[in-house]
Amino acid sequence: MTVGVKTCINCERPLAERVEEAERTGSGGSASTGICATYRVWYCVNPECEMFKTDIYREQIADQR
């Protein structure tokens, strides 16, 4: 499977990526489920763009207990 290069929706330059983990909570946000969702977050690194350092795409990679 070929993965395309993600580009900024404003300046169309290639984006950089980072990985983030977010802990999921139970219904109503009252209790933790002990499960973390891992995301790949793509953001603009062009300092001349108005979207500079703005998260543009977020895709879930995996769930971990």
Side-chain angles (χ1 to χ4, degrees):
M1 181 171 126
T2 303
V3 176
V5 174
K6 293 195 185 308
T7 58
C8 178
I9 57 177
N10 187 57
C11 68
E12 299 183 357
R13 291 206 182 160
L15 300 174
E17 64 176 284
R18 69 177 181 274
V19 175
E20 289 184 357
E21 277 190 7
E23 186 174 351
R24 291 187 175 180
T25 57
S27 62
S30 60
S32 173
T33 61
I35 298 174
C36 291
T38 304
Y39 298 93
R40 179 171 284 124
V41 180
W42 300 86
Y43 60 97
C44 184
V45 292
N46 176 8
E48 297 172 5
C49 179
E50 64 185 50
M51 302 294 282
F52 180 55
K53 292 189 178 178
T54 301
D55 296 350
I56 298 174
Y57 300 105
R58 183 180 181 101
E59 57 189 28
Q60 188 167 351
I61 302 171
D63 282 340
Q64 299 175 346
R65 289 189 184 268

